[in-house]
Every structure is written in C-alpha cells, then in structure tokens.
Amino acid sequence: MNKEQLASLAKDAMEKAYSPYSNYKVGAALLCKDGSVYTGCNVENASFSATNCAERTAFFKAVSEGKREFAAIAICGGKGGNIEGSFPPCGVCRQVMREFCKDDFEIHLLTKEVIETYTLSQLLPVSFQPDTIKKEDK
Ligand code: THU
C-alpha cells in the first residue's frame, strides 16, 4: 500500500465523520506493519469533551483488534469535508501514536495539492513514552 492509496482511504473515512457541532470532517487511515488498514473519523459529542478524533478512532479500532505494530497513518480534514491545508494531529493523538509507534512512524498529511510526510519524532520530539516509565515502576 503506497501513501496515495492510504490517502484515498483517509478521504473515504472522512465522509463518515459525525461532526454536527464543528462541521469539521476528519479522516484517518492507519497502516499496520502486517499490511492491514484501519480507518477512523472524528466522532463528536454534545458534551464536546467526549469527542474522539479521527486518528484515535483508527488507533483504538486497530489495537482492539489485536494490532500493535504500525507503519504509517494518512490524515485529512476540513470544514464540511473540504480539504484545503493540512490537518495536523492534535497533541493527544500524537501521544497515543507515541504509545505504539517508533520514531520512524510516518504521518502523511493531505492538502488539496500534495501529501506532506513527517515522522513521529518530528511531530513529537522529546516525548513522554512507554520507556520513560521504568519497568520496575510499572
Ligand atoms: N479533530 C480530529 O479528528 N483530529 C485531530 O487531531 C484534531 C481535531 C477533530 C475533533 C473535532 O471533531 C474537529 O476536529 C474540530 O476540532
């Protein structure tokens, strides 16, 4: 699966967004190292705080199906599902990525024209991660 194919799946997932409050539609497609893909959309809530981002939807779907190793994620979003600029993952989603992904995990951000690619270590340097908590303290 190349980044264009992953991007296409993120766009399809974006159409499933439940976002009656912000009207922002966000989609994500998460590529596992075994080649399987899990998609996600943002799921908003009237409380606002219970809203789940597209990226975490994809991660939680995958982890709950037993996946633990991930290669890349494609993300897109925009008002009414109209992709203009990139829609970078929020800090909470970056932290969830850090729990399962290595420094070289690829994050593909769609814009109207191009796909911008970053690594997790670029988007979340000097991070708090599983290794930070020593095993004997767990
Ligand atoms: N959102 C995501 O789905 N992913 C992010 O990383 C940032 C924000 C969603 C949450 C909310 O439904 C909408 O975008 C506007 O904040």
Side-chain angles (χ1 to χ4, degrees):
M1 162 108 14
N2 61 34
K3 64 181 178 181
E4 286 78 17
Q5 291 168 317
L6 201 61
S8 176
L9 293 174
K11 282 187 195 170
D12 291 345
M14 183 179 69
E15 297 307 325
K16 307 276 195 332
Y18 174 75
S19 52
Y21 305 106
S22 76
N23 195 33
Y24 275 91
K25 291 178 182 245
V26 188
L30 176 62
L31 176 64
C32 305
K33 286 194 174 166
D34 67 5
S36 58
V37 176
Y38 289 80
T39 60
C41 65
N42 53 329
V43 183
E44 295 189 345
N45 188 278
S47 70
F48 288 20
S49 61
T51 292
N52 206 55
C53 290
E55 300 90 325
R56 275 177 287 143
T57 302
F59 266 91
F60 296 156
K61 282 171 67 178
V63 172
S64 65
E65 295 294 331
K67 303 302 160 102
R68 292 287 189 281
E69 301 206 329
F70 305 103
I73 191 168
I75 304 164
C76 61
K79 194 98 181 166
N82 188 30
I83 301 169
E84 293 285 348
S86 64
F87 213 83
C90 77
V92 174
C93 289
R94 293 179 199 206
Q95 188 65 35
V96 168
M97 292 174 193
R98 179 78 278 182
E99 186 68 22
F100 298 103
C101 303
K102 306 276 185 280
D103 282 350
D104 63 353
F105 176 71
E106 289 187 323
I107 300 165
H108 303 298
L109 303 181
L110 283 67
T111 73
K112 198 173 178 180
E113 295 90 12
V114 294
I115 299 173
E116 300 169 356
T117 299
Y118 300 90
T119 61
L120 180 57
S121 61
Q122 285 177 307
L123 294 194
L124 195 66
V126 199
S127 60
F128 189 86
Q129 53 187 286
D131 283 353
T132 310
I133 304 172
K134 290 190 180 66
K135 282 208 171 60
E136 56 268 30
D137 296 337
K138 277 185 188 163

